[in-house]
Amino acid sequence: MVELPLGVDVPDGWVPVDPAEAGAPGAALVVVLPTPEGEFTPNITVGIGDPASTVDVERAADEAVRRLSDVADELEVRSRQDVGEDPAPGVAQVIDLLVGGQRLAQYQVHLSIPLPADEGHVPVEIAGTCTPSQAERAVPDFQRLVASFHLRADDE
C-alpha cells in the first residue's frame, strides 16, 4: 500500500478498528459505529490504490459492483452519478444488497485524487455500509467523512 498524506475527519461516535480484524485487510481506514449486540455494525471503509497517470472512476465503480456481486445473494445498483470534476472526478453510487439474509445498503464514492507536482492520480474508494433502518443515522456521517477527505499539506 502506498503511504500518502491523507486527511479525513471521523464523525463523532465512530471508532477506528483494525482493518484486518474488520475483514478489510487492504483498507487504509475502517471506522465503525458501535451498536447493541446482535445488530449489524455500520462501517465506513477507505481504500487507497496505487498512483497512476490516470484513474478511470467509472471502471472502479464497476469493479466494486463486481466484487460485491461475488458475496451478495442479491444486488441492485440503486443510483449512480458523477461527482466532482477535473482534476478530481468521481462517481457516487448506492447499492442495495442481500448478504446472508441481511438487507444492507452500501454508499460508495470513487475518486481520482491528483497528486502534487503533476505526479499522477491516486484512486480512492470510500464505502459506507449499513442496514436500511440505520441509514438515517449513518448516511449523513458518511457524507461528512467523504466531504472532509483531502491530501494534507506537508505542514498539517
Side-chain angles (χ1 to χ4, degrees):
M1 179 169 43
V2 175
E3 291 295 322
L4 296 170
L6 300 176
V8 67
D9 297 332
V10 175
D12 289 341
W14 292 77
V15 179
V17 296
D18 181 292
E21 290 179 17
L29 173 70
V30 177
V31 295
V32 300
L33 186 62
T35 58
E37 185 70 29
E39 288 187 26
F40 180 81
T41 303
N43 60 81
I44 300 173
T45 302
V46 179
I48 310 296
D50 291 327
S53 58
T54 62
V55 175
D56 184 338
V57 291
E58 288 286 336
R59 192 167 81 203
D62 289 341
E63 176 61 21
V65 169
R66 189 203 58 73
R67 282 192 324 265
L68 283 174
S69 68
D70 289 345
V71 298
D73 302 314
E74 295 177 14
L75 180 146
E76 179 184 344
V77 178
R78 185 186 333 158
S79 66
R80 182 185 274 193
Q81 64 185 28
D82 293 334
V83 294
E85 55 190 44
D86 280 334
V91 171
Q93 60 187 5
V94 179
I95 302 167
D96 293 322
L97 304 161
L98 179 66
V99 179
Q102 176 82 61
R103 291 242 171 247
L104 300 171
Q106 187 168 95
Y107 301 80
Q108 299 179 350
V109 177
H110 300 270
L111 302 170
S112 175
I113 305 295
L115 294 169
D118 257 353
E119 295 176 13
H121 287 72
V122 64
V124 174
E125 178 181 307
I126 307 172
T129 308
C130 62
T131 66
S133 64
Q134 295 166 331
E136 186 176 333
R137 166 69 167 92
V139 172
D141 286 348
F142 173 74
Q143 292 168 330
R144 278 191 285 281
L145 184 139
V146 169
S148 77
F149 186 85
H150 63 281
L151 283 172
R152 295 186 319 259
D154 289 339
D155 57 356
E156 277 188 68

